């Protein structure tokens, strides 16, 4: 790896029916598969898809604002990442898919759509998923 700016780390114990915690303790959640008895018992339980959605939404919204700033456009944005767990017919396992829903004010719809496409090219999460995960962009 070249020119590492910073590294974040989190550790999981027990997978989908356990706990995940960041090395600094800021993130600390019990995990549970939605619809399971454990999920019903845990008021603040989460799952890997929810955690991925939070990271992708924050990262993409940041990329969108960076792209807009470079073009001297002031935007007020909101990005929602909907991360779905799907059956994978190719191997009988599972995979994820993402639908990013982006709202923005401060420019017209056409320009916002252009900025969203540009953000998708520079967002680290978009780069990481490209070619591996179906990502749909929706500009609202």
């Amino acid at each position: 790896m070249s020119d590492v700016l910073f590294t974040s780390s989190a550790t999981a114990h027990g997978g989908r029916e356990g706990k995940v915690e960041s090395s600094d303790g800021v993130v600390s959640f019990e995990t549970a598969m939605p619809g399971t008895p454990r999920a019903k018992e845990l008021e603040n339980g989460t799952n890997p898809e929810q955690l991925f959605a939070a990271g992708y939404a924050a990262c993409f919204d940041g990329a969108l604002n960076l792209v807009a700033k470079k073009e001297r456009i002031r935007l007020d944005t909101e990005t929602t990442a909907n991360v779905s767990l799907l059956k994978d017919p190719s191997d009988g396992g599972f995979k994820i898919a993402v639908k990013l829903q982006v709202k923005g004010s401060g420019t017209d719809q056409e320009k916002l759509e252009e900025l969203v496409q540009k953000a998708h090219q520079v967002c680290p999460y978009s780069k990481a998923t490209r070619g591996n995960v179906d990502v749909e962009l929706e500009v609202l």
Side-chain angles (χ1 to χ4, degrees), residues 48-94:
E49 292 73 31
Q50 195 172 51
L51 295 167
F52 188 83
Y56 203 164
C59 189
F60 192 89
D61 205 63
L64 177 58
N65 282 278
L66 177 66
V67 168
K69 183 178 179 180
K70 285 183 178 181
E71 294 196 19
R72 295 188 172 96
I73 298 171
R74 293 184 67 128
L75 287 179
D76 182 24
T77 61
E78 178 181 294
T79 299
T80 300
N82 301 284
V83 177
S84 299
L85 182 66
L86 312 169
K87 289 288 283 175
D88 187 351
S90 70
D91 65 4
F94 302 93

Side-chain angles (χ1 to χ4, degrees), residues 60 64 67 71 73 75 102-104 107-121 137-140:
F60 192 89
L64 177 58
V67 168
E71 294 196 19
I73 298 171
L75 287 179
V102 182
K103 296 178 186 176
T107 191
D108 61 47
Q109 180 75 12
E110 185 176 325
K111 186 62 177 180
L112 181 58
E113 289 177 5
E114 178 186 317
L115 293 171
V116 165
Q117 289 298 325
K118 287 180 179 180
H120 193 44
Q121 296 307 307
L137 302 174
E138 181 180 22
V139 181
L140 306 172

